[in-house]
PDB file of all heavy atoms in Angstrom:
ATOM      1  N   TYR A   1      -2.781   4.015 -62.671  1.00 71.00           N
ATOM      2  CA  TYR A   1      -3.706   4.546 -63.677  1.00 71.00           C
ATOM      3  C   TYR A   1      -4.473   3.370 -64.287  1.00 71.00           C
ATOM      4  O   TYR A   1      -5.278   2.751 -63.627  1.00 71.00           O
ATOM      5  CB  TYR A   1      -2.938   5.362 -64.723  1.00 71.00           C
ATOM      6  CG  TYR A   1      -2.329   6.619 -64.144  1.00 71.00           C
ATOM      7  CD1 TYR A   1      -1.110   6.588 -63.461  1.00 71.00           C
ATOM      8  CD2 TYR A   1      -2.979   7.849 -64.267  1.00 71.00           C
ATOM      9  CE1 TYR A   1      -0.557   7.738 -62.913  1.00 71.00           C
ATOM     10  CE2 TYR A   1      -2.438   9.007 -63.734  1.00 71.00           C
ATOM     11  CZ  TYR A   1      -1.231   8.950 -63.053  1.00 71.00           C
ATOM     12  OH  TYR A   1      -0.688  10.089 -62.508  1.00 71.00           O
ATOM     13  N   SER A   2      -4.201   3.043 -65.542  1.00 65.00           N
ATOM     14  CA  SER A   2      -4.916   1.937 -66.173  1.00 65.00           C
ATOM     15  C   SER A   2      -4.581   0.594 -65.530  1.00 65.00           C
ATOM     16  O   SER A   2      -5.387  -0.329 -65.558  1.00 65.00           O
ATOM     17  CB  SER A   2      -4.593   1.891 -67.667  1.00 65.00           C
ATOM     18  OG  SER A   2      -3.208   1.673 -67.872  1.00 65.00           O
ATOM     19  N   ALA A   3      -3.371   0.484 -64.946  1.00 59.00           N
ATOM     20  CA  ALA A   3      -2.949  -0.779 -64.320  1.00 59.00           C
ATOM     21  C   ALA A   3      -3.011  -0.704 -62.800  1.00 59.00           C
ATOM     22  O   ALA A   3      -2.300  -1.433 -62.105  1.00 59.00           O
ATOM     23  CB  ALA A   3      -1.531  -1.136 -64.772  1.00 59.00           C
ATOM     24  N   ARG A   4      -3.862   0.188 -62.286  1.00 65.00           N
ATOM     25  CA  ARG A   4      -3.966   0.338 -60.838  1.00 65.00           C
ATOM     26  C   ARG A   4      -4.361  -0.974 -60.181  1.00 65.00           C
ATOM     27  O   ARG A   4      -5.246  -1.688 -60.661  1.00 65.00           O
ATOM     28  CB  ARG A   4      -5.011   1.413 -60.505  1.00 65.00           C
ATOM     29  CG  ARG A   4      -5.018   1.776 -59.033  1.00 65.00           C
ATOM     30  CD  ARG A   4      -5.870   3.005 -58.778  1.00 65.00           C
ATOM     31  NE  ARG A   4      -5.734   3.401 -57.381  1.00 65.00           N
ATOM     32  CZ  ARG A   4      -6.747   3.617 -56.572  1.00 65.00           C
ATOM     33  NH1 ARG A   4      -7.981   3.474 -56.995  1.00 65.00           N
ATOM     34  NH2 ARG A   4      -6.544   3.984 -55.329  1.00 65.00           N
ATOM     35  N   GLY A   5      -3.690  -1.292 -59.083  1.00 68.00           N
ATOM     36  CA  GLY A   5      -3.926  -2.551 -58.392  1.00 68.00           C
ATOM     37  C   GLY A   5      -2.850  -3.581 -58.689  1.00 68.00           C
ATOM     38  O   GLY A   5      -2.667  -4.535 -57.945  1.00 68.00           O
ATOM     39  N   HIS A   6      -2.140  -3.377 -59.795  1.00 75.00           N
ATOM     40  CA  HIS A   6      -1.044  -4.278 -60.160  1.00 75.00           C
ATOM     41  C   HIS A   6       0.225  -3.844 -59.433  1.00 75.00           C
ATOM     42  O   HIS A   6       0.577  -2.669 -59.437  1.00 75.00           O
ATOM     43  CB  HIS A   6      -0.824  -4.229 -61.673  1.00 75.00           C
ATOM     44  CG  HIS A   6       0.362  -5.012 -62.140  1.00 75.00           C
ATOM     45  ND1 HIS A   6       0.354  -6.383 -62.254  1.00 75.00           N
ATOM     46  CD2 HIS A   6       1.610  -4.615 -62.525  1.00 75.00           C
ATOM     47  CE1 HIS A   6       1.525  -6.793 -62.687  1.00 75.00           C
ATOM     48  NE2 HIS A   6       2.305  -5.737 -62.860  1.00 75.00           N
ATOM     49  N   ILE A   7       0.897  -4.770 -58.805  1.00 83.00           N
ATOM     50  CA  ILE A   7       2.166  -4.480 -58.135  1.00 83.00           C
ATOM     51  C   ILE A   7       3.300  -4.916 -59.060  1.00 83.00           C
ATOM     52  O   ILE A   7       3.466  -6.110 -59.335  1.00 83.00           O
ATOM     53  CB  ILE A   7       2.284  -5.210 -56.781  1.00 83.00           C
ATOM     54  CG1 ILE A   7       1.103  -4.843 -55.877  1.00 83.00           C
ATOM     55  CG2 ILE A   7       3.615  -4.855 -56.117  1.00 83.00           C
ATOM     56  CD1 ILE A   7       1.041  -3.394 -55.497  1.00 83.00           C
ATOM     57  N   ALA A   8       4.052  -3.951 -59.560  1.00 87.00           N
ATOM     58  CA  ALA A   8       5.172  -4.251 -60.453  1.00 87.00           C
ATOM     59  C   ALA A   8       6.459  -4.386 -59.649  1.00 87.00           C
ATOM     60  O   ALA A   8       6.583  -3.819 -58.555  1.00 87.00           O
ATOM     61  CB  ALA A   8       5.314  -3.139 -61.494  1.00 87.00           C
ATOM     62  N   PRO A   9       7.435  -5.143 -60.147  1.00 92.00           N
ATOM     63  CA  PRO A   9       8.700  -5.298 -59.425  1.00 92.00           C
ATOM     64  C   PRO A   9       9.379  -3.945 -59.214  1.00 92.00           C
ATOM     65  O   PRO A   9       9.344  -3.088 -60.105  1.00 92.00           O
ATOM     66  CB  PRO A   9       9.535  -6.182 -60.355  1.00 92.00           C
ATOM     67  CG  PRO A   9       8.557  -6.844 -61.260  1.00 92.00           C
ATOM     68  CD  PRO A   9       7.422  -5.894 -61.416  1.00 92.00           C
ATOM     69  N   PRO A  10      10.000  -3.733 -58.061  1.00 92.00           N
ATOM     70  CA  PRO A  10      10.702  -2.461 -57.838  1.00 92.00           C
ATOM     71  C   PRO A  10      11.901  -2.283 -58.768  1.00 92.00           C
ATOM     72  O   PRO A  10      12.339  -1.155 -59.004  1.00 92.00           O
ATOM     73  CB  PRO A  10      11.139  -2.540 -56.374  1.00 92.00           C
ATOM     74  CG  PRO A  10      11.091  -3.987 -56.037  1.00 92.00           C
ATOM     75  CD  PRO A  10      10.031  -4.604 -56.871  1.00 92.00           C
ATOM     76  N   ARG A  11      12.395  -3.396 -59.302  1.00 96.00           N
ATOM     77  CA  ARG A  11      13.544  -3.336 -60.208  1.00 96.00           C
ATOM     78  C   ARG A  11      13.405  -4.443 -61.241  1.00 96.00           C
ATOM     79  O   ARG A  11      13.230  -5.611 -60.898  1.00 96.00           O
ATOM     80  CB  ARG A  11      14.849  -3.525 -59.407  1.00 96.00           C
ATOM     81  CG  ARG A  11      16.102  -3.777 -60.233  1.00 96.00           C
ATOM     82  CD  ARG A  11      16.632  -2.489 -60.864  1.00 96.00           C
ATOM     83  NE  ARG A  11      17.923  -2.712 -61.495  1.00 96.00           N
ATOM     84  CZ  ARG A  11      18.091  -3.164 -62.747  1.00 96.00           C
ATOM     85  NH1 ARG A  11      17.033  -3.474 -63.482  1.00 96.00           N
ATOM     86  NH2 ARG A  11      19.299  -3.306 -63.256  1.00 96.00           N
ATOM     87  N   GLU A  12      13.408  -4.070 -62.522  1.00 96.00           N
ATOM     88  CA  GLU A  12      13.375  -5.070 -63.584  1.00 96.00           C
ATOM     89  C   GLU A  12      13.945  -4.472 -64.861  1.00 96.00           C
ATOM     90  O   GLU A  12      14.109  -3.246 -64.978  1.00 96.00           O
ATOM     91  CB  GLU A  12      11.951  -5.579 -63.835  1.00 96.00           C
ATOM     92  CG  GLU A  12      11.002  -4.573 -64.474  1.00 96.00           C
ATOM     93  CD  GLU A  12       9.674  -5.204 -64.861  1.00 96.00           C
ATOM     94  OE1 GLU A  12       9.679  -6.309 -65.453  1.00 96.00           O
ATOM     95  OE2 GLU A  12       8.618  -4.584 -64.575  1.00 96.00           O
ATOM     96  N   THR A  13      14.267  -5.351 -65.805  1.00 97.00           N
ATOM     97  CA  THR A  13      14.703  -4.930 -67.129  1.00 97.00           C
ATOM     98  C   THR A  13      13.672  -5.424 -68.140  1.00 97.00           C
ATOM     99  O   THR A  13      13.321  -6.602 -68.152  1.00 97.00           O
ATOM    100  CB  THR A  13      16.088  -5.499 -67.478  1.00 97.00           C
ATOM    101  OG1 THR A  13      17.045  -5.010 -66.529  1.00 97.00           O
ATOM    102  CG2 THR A  13      16.518  -5.061 -68.878  1.00 97.00           C
ATOM    103  N   HIS A  14      13.171  -4.505 -68.945  1.00 96.00           N
ATOM    104  CA  HIS A  14      12.140  -4.841 -69.934  1.00 96.00           C
ATOM    105  C   HIS A  14      12.508  -4.190 -71.253  1.00 96.00           C
ATOM    106  O   HIS A  14      12.657  -2.975 -71.340  1.00 96.00           O
ATOM    107  CB  HIS A  14      10.774  -4.364 -69.451  1.00 96.00           C
ATOM    108  CG  HIS A  14       9.655  -4.717 -70.381  1.00 96.00           C
ATOM    109  ND1 HIS A  14       9.116  -3.828 -71.292  1.00 96.00           N
ATOM    110  CD2 HIS A  14       8.967  -5.890 -70.554  1.00 96.00           C
ATOM    111  CE1 HIS A  14       8.155  -4.408 -71.973  1.00 96.00           C
ATOM    112  NE2 HIS A  14       8.042  -5.660 -71.541  1.00 96.00           N
ATOM    113  N   LYS A  15      12.719  -5.025 -72.282  1.00 96.00           N
ATOM    114  CA  LYS A  15      13.091  -4.559 -73.620  1.00 96.00           C
ATOM    115  C   LYS A  15      14.309  -3.635 -73.573  1.00 96.00           C
ATOM    116  O   LYS A  15      14.306  -2.534 -74.127  1.00 96.00           O
ATOM    117  CB  LYS A  15      11.897  -3.879 -74.293  1.00 96.00           C
ATOM    118  CG  LYS A  15      10.760  -4.848 -74.585  1.00 96.00           C
ATOM    119  CD  LYS A  15       9.695  -4.241 -75.465  1.00 96.00           C
ATOM    120  CE  LYS A  15       8.617  -5.284 -75.799  1.00 96.00           C
ATOM    121  NZ  LYS A  15       7.551  -4.742 -76.670  1.00 96.00           N
ATOM    122  N   ASN A  16      15.333  -4.092 -72.880  1.00 96.00           N
ATOM    123  CA  ASN A  16      16.636  -3.422 -72.787  1.00 96.00           C
ATOM    124  C   ASN A  16      16.621  -2.152 -71.943  1.00 96.00           C
ATOM    125  O   ASN A  16      17.614  -1.422 -71.904  1.00 96.00           O
ATOM    126  CB  ASN A  16      17.191  -3.079 -74.181  1.00 96.00           C
ATOM    127  CG  ASN A  16      17.477  -4.310 -75.001  1.00 96.00           C
ATOM    128  OD1 ASN A  16      17.935  -5.326 -74.489  1.00 96.00           O
ATOM    129  ND2 ASN A  16      17.187  -4.223 -76.297  1.00 96.00           N
ATOM    130  N   VAL A  17      15.520  -1.883 -71.267  1.00 98.00           N
ATOM    131  CA  VAL A  17      15.429  -0.705 -70.409  1.00 98.00           C
ATOM    132  C   VAL A  17      15.446  -1.145 -68.952  1.00 98.00           C
ATOM    133  O   VAL A  17      14.634  -1.985 -68.539  1.00 98.00           O
ATOM    134  CB  VAL A  17      14.148   0.100 -70.691  1.00 98.00           C
ATOM    135  CG1 VAL A  17      14.043   1.296 -69.742  1.00 98.00           C
ATOM    136  CG2 VAL A  17      14.098   0.565 -72.142  1.00 98.00           C
ATOM    137  N   ASP A  18      16.365  -0.585 -68.159  1.00 97.00           N
ATOM    138  CA  ASP A  18      16.414  -0.859 -66.721  1.00 97.00           C
ATOM    139  C   ASP A  18      15.394   0.033 -66.022  1.00 97.00           C
ATOM    140  O   ASP A  18      15.456   1.262 -66.131  1.00 97.00           O
ATOM    141  CB  ASP A  18      17.815  -0.588 -66.170  1.00 97.00           C
ATOM    142  CG  ASP A  18      18.849  -1.536 -66.742  1.00 97.00           C
ATOM    143  OD1 ASP A  18      18.514  -2.710 -66.975  1.00 97.00           O
ATOM    144  OD2 ASP A  18      19.992  -1.090 -66.974  1.00 97.00           O
ATOM    145  N   ILE A  19      14.469  -0.587 -65.305  1.00 98.00           N
ATOM    146  CA  ILE A  19      13.375   0.143 -64.677  1.00 98.00           C
ATOM    147  C   ILE A  19      13.539   0.123 -63.162  1.00 98.00           C
ATOM    148  O   ILE A  19      13.696  -0.936 -62.561  1.00 98.00           O
ATOM    149  CB  ILE A  19      12.015  -0.477 -65.045  1.00 98.00           C
ATOM    150  CG1 ILE A  19      11.855  -0.571 -66.572  1.00 98.00           C
ATOM    151  CG2 ILE A  19      10.871   0.340 -64.446  1.00 98.00           C
ATOM    152  CD1 ILE A  19      10.668  -1.410 -67.003  1.00 98.00           C
ATOM    153  N   TYR A  20      13.501   1.307 -62.567  1.00 97.00           N
ATOM    154  CA  TYR A  20      13.546   1.454 -61.118  1.00 97.00           C
ATOM    155  C   TYR A  20      12.236   2.112 -60.686  1.00 97.00           C
ATOM    156  O   TYR A  20      11.951   3.247 -61.064  1.00 97.00           O
ATOM    157  CB  TYR A  20      14.726   2.320 -60.685  1.00 97.00           C
ATOM    158  CG  TYR A  20      16.076   1.754 -61.066  1.00 97.00           C
ATOM    159  CD1 TYR A  20      16.632   2.043 -62.304  1.00 97.00           C
ATOM    160  CD2 TYR A  20      16.782   0.929 -60.192  1.00 97.00           C
ATOM    161  CE1 TYR A  20      17.865   1.523 -62.670  1.00 97.00           C
ATOM    162  CE2 TYR A  20      18.026   0.404 -60.545  1.00 97.00           C
ATOM    163  CZ  TYR A  20      18.551   0.705 -61.792  1.00 97.00           C
ATOM    164  OH  TYR A  20      19.782   0.192 -62.149  1.00 97.00           O
ATOM    165  N   ARG A  21      11.433   1.396 -59.919  1.00 95.00           N
ATOM    166  CA  ARG A  21      10.152   1.926 -59.471  1.00 95.00           C
ATOM    167  C   ARG A  21      10.262   2.414 -58.032  1.00 95.00           C
ATOM    168  O   ARG A  21      10.602   1.651 -57.130  1.00 95.00           O
ATOM    169  CB  ARG A  21       9.046   0.878 -59.611  1.00 95.00           C
ATOM    170  CG  ARG A  21       8.769   0.497 -61.067  1.00 95.00           C
ATOM    171  CD  ARG A  21       7.559  -0.415 -61.215  1.00 95.00           C
ATOM    172  NE  ARG A  21       7.296  -0.688 -62.622  1.00 95.00           N
ATOM    173  CZ  ARG A  21       7.845  -1.689 -63.315  1.00 95.00           C
ATOM    174  NH1 ARG A  21       8.670  -2.533 -62.696  1.00 95.00           N
ATOM    175  NH2 ARG A  21       7.560  -1.853 -64.592  1.00 95.00           N
ATOM    176  N   ALA A  22       9.968   3.686 -57.855  1.00 91.00           N
ATOM    177  CA  ALA A  22      10.035   4.282 -56.525  1.00 91.00           C
ATOM    178  C   ALA A  22       8.744   4.013 -55.778  1.00 91.00           C
ATOM    179  O   ALA A  22       7.669   3.939 -56.381  1.00 91.00           O
ATOM    180  CB  ALA A  22      10.276   5.788 -56.643  1.00 91.00           C
ATOM    181  N   GLY A  23       8.849   3.869 -54.491  1.00 82.00           N
ATOM    182  CA  GLY A  23       7.672   3.605 -53.676  1.00 82.00           C
ATOM    183  C   GLY A  23       6.989   4.894 -53.267  1.00 82.00           C
ATOM    184  O   GLY A  23       7.624   5.841 -52.803  1.00 82.00           O
ATOM    185  N   GLY A  24       5.698   4.973 -53.452  1.00 76.00           N
ATOM    186  CA  GLY A  24       4.903   6.123 -53.030  1.00 76.00           C
ATOM    187  C   GLY A  24       3.472   5.682 -52.845  1.00 76.00           C
ATOM    188  O   GLY A  24       3.119   4.538 -53.130  1.00 76.00           O
ATOM    189  N   THR A  25       2.631   6.573 -52.376  1.00 73.00           N
ATOM    190  CA  THR A  25       1.229   6.213 -52.191  1.00 73.00           C
ATOM    191  C   THR A  25       0.543   6.045 -53.544  1.00 73.00           C
ATOM    192  O   THR A  25       0.942   6.639 -54.547  1.00 73.00           O
ATOM    193  CB  THR A  25       0.491   7.282 -51.376  1.00 73.00           C
ATOM    194  OG1 THR A  25       0.647   8.550 -52.025  1.00 73.00           O
ATOM    195  CG2 THR A  25       1.054   7.370 -49.969  1.00 73.00           C
ATOM    196  N   ARG A  26      -0.522   5.238 -53.537  1.00 70.00           N
ATOM    197  CA  ARG A  26      -1.295   5.016 -54.764  1.00 70.00           C
ATOM    198  C   ARG A  26      -2.775   5.211 -54.453  1.00 70.00           C
ATOM    199  O   ARG A  26      -3.606   4.352 -54.723  1.00 70.00           O
ATOM    200  CB  ARG A  26      -1.026   3.609 -55.319  1.00 70.00           C
ATOM    201  CG  ARG A  26       0.419   3.410 -55.757  1.00 70.00           C
ATOM    202  CD  ARG A  26       0.569   2.183 -56.625  1.00 70.00           C
ATOM    203  NE  ARG A  26       0.282   0.956 -55.902  1.00 70.00           N
ATOM    204  CZ  ARG A  26       0.111  -0.234 -56.491  1.00 70.00           C
ATOM    205  NH1 ARG A  26       0.187  -0.330 -57.813  1.00 70.00           N
ATOM    206  NH2 ARG A  26      -0.132  -1.311 -55.775  1.00 70.00           N
ATOM    207  N   LEU A  27      -3.075   6.375 -53.907  1.00 65.00           N
ATOM    208  CA  LEU A  27      -4.454   6.693 -53.570  1.00 65.00           C
ATOM    209  C   LEU A  27      -5.228   7.046 -54.843  1.00 65.00           C
ATOM    210  O   LEU A  27      -4.640   7.258 -55.904  1.00 65.00           O
ATOM    211  CB  LEU A  27      -4.489   7.862 -52.579  1.00 65.00           C
ATOM    212  CG  LEU A  27      -3.693   7.650 -51.275  1.00 65.00           C
ATOM    213  CD1 LEU A  27      -3.673   8.922 -50.453  1.00 65.00           C
ATOM    214  CD2 LEU A  27      -4.265   6.488 -50.478  1.00 65.00           C
ATOM    215  N   ASP A  28      -6.535   7.138 -54.739  1.00 68.00           N
ATOM    216  CA  ASP A  28      -7.386   7.421 -55.893  1.00 68.00           C
ATOM    217  C   ASP A  28      -7.039   8.799 -56.469  1.00 68.00           C
ATOM    218  O   ASP A  28      -7.290   9.831 -55.848  1.00 68.00           O
ATOM    219  CB  ASP A  28      -8.852   7.378 -55.467  1.00 68.00           C
ATOM    220  CG  ASP A  28      -9.810   7.580 -56.635  1.00 68.00           C
ATOM    221  OD1 ASP A  28      -9.349   7.840 -57.763  1.00 68.00           O
ATOM    222  OD2 ASP A  28     -11.029   7.475 -56.407  1.00 68.00           O
ATOM    223  N   LYS A  29      -6.498   8.824 -57.676  1.00 67.00           N
ATOM    224  CA  LYS A  29      -6.021  10.060 -58.276  1.00 67.00           C
ATOM    225  C   LYS A  29      -7.160  10.999 -58.669  1.00 67.00           C
ATOM    226  O   LYS A  29      -6.931  12.183 -58.952  1.00 67.00           O
ATOM    227  CB  LYS A  29      -5.168   9.761 -59.509  1.00 67.00           C
ATOM    228  CG  LYS A  29      -5.936   9.086 -60.646  1.00 67.00           C
ATOM    229  CD  LYS A  29      -5.066   8.784 -61.834  1.00 67.00           C
ATOM    230  CE  LYS A  29      -5.863   8.100 -62.942  1.00 67.00           C
ATOM    231  NZ  LYS A  29      -6.964   8.943 -63.436  1.00 67.00           N
TER     232      LYS A  29
END
């Protein structure tokens, strides 16, 4: 969305929250 084009880590911890990013397509919404 607003950060389209940015590749975020598939797994990270940010502000005490464990984040798991699933892989999927990122075509023009």
Side-chain angles (χ1 to χ4, degrees):
Y1 294 82
S2 61
R4 189 170 186 232
H6 174 77
I7 304 296
R11 168 77 172 86
E12 70 172 314
T13 299
H14 182 261
K15 294 190 177 180
N16 296 322
V17 178
D18 295 325
I19 305 169
Y20 299 88
R21 295 187 177 88
T25 56
R26 296 195 295 168
L27 304 174
D28 184 355
K29 64 181 179 61

